[in-house]
Amino acid sequence: MNQRLVDSLVQVIEALSPEERKLLESRLQLKVVQKTPRVCGGHACIRNTRIPVWVLVSLRQQGANDRELLENYPNLTPEDLIAAWEYYQQHTSEIDLVIVTQNEDD
């Protein structure tokens, strides 16, 4: 591990304004959601879990709350769910289309 790099990053992060820190956190959360060809049909998933965002959104629309989702998906963190909800806010039509398509296939 490069301790000097980590120390430098900590200094930079501590020097950020509240607006800059919020922007940084938002960008880092977006990295939680990944699209990988040939993994889960290329749909947006929570990093390294193969849990598609559309599944979480669909369950939430059916009444599941965050606590229930975290209990049923123990590999997820509260931050993962925040990232999923933010991804959905920014890509609503994409996720809604997948949900409709999946429901038609059932």
Side-chain angles (χ1 to χ4, degrees), residues 31-50:
K31 299 295 182 193
V32 171
V33 177
Q34 302 171 345
K35 283 182 158 182
T36 306
R38 297 180 306 277
V39 175
C40 295
H43 298 295
C45 293
I46 302 300
R47 48 93 202 111
N48 305 321
T49 65
R50 294 183 178 245

Side-chain angles (χ1 to χ4, degrees), residues 1 4 9 11 17-19 22 30 37 45 48 62 68 70 73 76-77 79 82 85 95:
M1 176 170 70
R4 285 194 320 192
L9 289 170
Q11 286 179 330
S17 70
E19 295 82 19
K22 186 172 181 174
L30 289 177
C45 293
N48 305 321
Q62 295 172 51
E68 292 169 318
L70 292 171
Y73 293 94
L76 293 181
T77 67
E79 292 77 20
I82 291 168
W85 310 148
I95 299 300

Side-chain angles (χ1 to χ4, degrees), residues 63-79:
N65 61 38
D66 287 3
R67 181 185 52 77
E68 292 169 318
L69 292 171
L70 292 171
E71 287 174 3
N72 289 309
Y73 293 94
N75 291 335
L76 293 181
T77 67
E79 292 77 20

Side-chain angles (χ1 to χ4, degrees), residues 5-25 28:
L5 175 61
V6 171
D7 291 341
S8 295
L9 289 170
V10 168
Q11 286 179 330
V12 169
I13 291 169
E14 288 174 345
L16 294 175
S17 70
E19 295 82 19
E20 293 167 330
R21 188 176 290 234
K22 186 172 181 174
L23 177 60
L24 174 63
E25 289 172 358
L28 289 173

Side-chain angles (χ1 to χ4, degrees), residues 99-106:
I99 292 170
V100 167
T101 303
Q102 293 297 323
N103 286 337
E104 288 175 355
D105 291 343
D106 290 343

